[in-house]
Amino acid sequence: MPPLTDTFSMPNHATGKTRRTARGFRARGLASAAACLALFLSGCAQADTTAPSTARAEAAHGAPARFGTVDCREAKCIALTFDAGPSENSARLLDILKEKRVPATFFLLGKRHIEKYPELVKRMAAEGHEVASHTWDHKILTRISDAQIREELKRPNDAIERLTGRKPTLMRPPQGRTDADVQAISKELGLAEVLWSVTAKDYTTEDSALITKRVLDQSSRDGIILLHDIYAGTVPAVPGIIDALKARGYVFVTVPQLLAPGKAEPGKVYRP
């Protein structure tokens, strides 16, 4: 049987551009590679996933919401998440979120991002956003060794903890690709994985109106929206997305708030 490869356009989050790639999958991923290709950027996980509603239901009956005053068992909640920053666009994004009083969850890259914009990482935490990991160098975790996986996850954790005083408890695997090895190492490092239900594919367009439409068309209760503040069209779309979803009755929360009173468990994969 010839090697199974994937050939598609994928975002290069280090440069903010789209590139072509064609590479063989690791042996452990061959069985599900075709399915992953079909699900590219909609969250491909070789594992059972836990929905936010399930996490809430599994908490002690009658337990209070753990974060703030929002109780997503009653409110129509949705989580706004941003991957692959910080970037030169992040300060403006934080200004918008502060003005709109909207918390977000940031899955940050280490190389060329956390190390380049440490003050923005500190600001994200100080302004009440959830600061999480998107690995150090955006390597596809299912294609590298266990030692490399551990390095990709540990380095941003350590960098974020140095800057904010708090070690991340959440991570998002690049392209949403995960498997039993990734989950085991995540558990070892105290990390839960978070996928998504809404993607604007903002790496394909700078049209803010189109980004807004894609998000609004896919949004539903308990949704997790995936955006990238590294792309030019994304941050200008955010005010319209927020205003339209608020008009529909949505309440914006961080991912931990979405799960509360449940709590993200290390090694588990969460997806609406």
Side-chain angles (χ1 to χ4, degrees):
M1 176 179 174
L4 181 60
T5 62
D6 60 329
T7 304
F8 46 78
S9 292
M10 62 171 284
N12 182 340
H13 295 323
T15 63
K17 298 178 181 179
T18 300
R19 61 185 173 85
R20 298 290 292 179
T21 182
R23 285 185 282 181
F25 282 88
R26 293 181 62 192
R28 74 186 189 205
L30 285 172
S32 62
C36 283
L37 290 177
L39 290 172
F40 176 60
L41 283 183
S42 64
C44 176
Q46 298 178 39
D48 291 333
T49 60
T50 301
S53 58
T54 301
R56 296 194 298 264
E58 289 175 348
H61 181 69
R66 292 175 54 254
F67 293 89
T69 59
V70 179
D71 190 337
C72 294
R73 293 169 296 189
E74 300 175 0
K76 186 179 173 182
C77 292
I78 198 163
L80 191 56
T81 74
F82 296 90
D83 281 12
S87 75
E88 65 273 13
N89 303 319
S90 298
R92 175 58 185 147
L93 173 59
L94 289 169
D95 290 343
I96 292 168
L97 296 174
K98 186 174 183 179
E99 178 187 348
K100 300 287 186 182
R101 297 186 178 182
V102 166
T105 302
F106 288 91
F107 293 93
L108 304 181
L109 277 176
K111 191 174 182 181
R112 296 180 294 274
H113 295 271
I114 293 173
E115 63 182 6
K116 186 175 180 180
Y117 300 99
E119 294 306 314
L120 288 174
V121 178
K122 293 178 183 178
R123 182 180 169 190
M124 289 169 181
E127 294 185 359
H129 303 291
E130 186 72 15
V131 181
S133 166
H134 193 41
T135 73
W136 185 257
D137 198 23
H138 206 261
K139 290 184 173 70
I140 306 305
L141 299 178
T142 54
R143 300 179 185 170
I144 59 179
S145 70
D146 288 359
Q148 289 174 306
I149 294 170
R150 195 170 282 106
E151 179 77 0
E152 278 290 293
L153 298 181
K154 189 174 184 304
R155 286 188 71 184
N157 274 12
D158 292 345
I160 290 169
E161 185 176 24
R162 282 195 301 270
L163 291 169
T164 69
R166 182 174 178 269
K167 183 172 289 187
T169 59
L170 306 177
M171 81 90 165
R172 176 167 284 159
Q175 295 184 22
R177 295 181 187 269
T178 185
D179 61 15
D181 288 355
V182 176
Q183 291 143 35
I185 294 169
S186 296
K187 183 175 183 178
E188 170 193 321
L189 297 175
L191 292 166
E193 298 178 62
V194 179
L195 303 182
W196 59 91
S197 58
V198 179
T199 174
K201 296 185 178 180
D202 49 358
Y203 58 91
T204 65
T205 180
E206 294 185 359
D207 185 340
S208 298
L210 178 58
I211 292 169
T212 300
K213 182 180 186 302
R214 287 173 174 174
V215 170
L216 298 182
D217 285 349
Q218 297 172 58
S219 292
S220 59
R221 184 173 184 173
D222 284 349
I224 298 177
I225 300 168
L226 166 62
L227 293 168
H228 302 81
D229 55 320
I230 59 175
Y231 298 119
T234 301
V235 172
V238 170
I241 289 169
I242 291 172
D243 291 346
L245 289 176
K246 281 185 175 181
R248 295 182 185 181
Y250 286 97
V251 178
F252 286 93
V253 294
T254 64
V255 170
Q257 286 175 314
L258 191 66
L259 304 180
K263 185 177 180 180
E265 296 181 28
K268 278 194 172 184
V269 182
Y270 293 88
R271 179 183 179 185

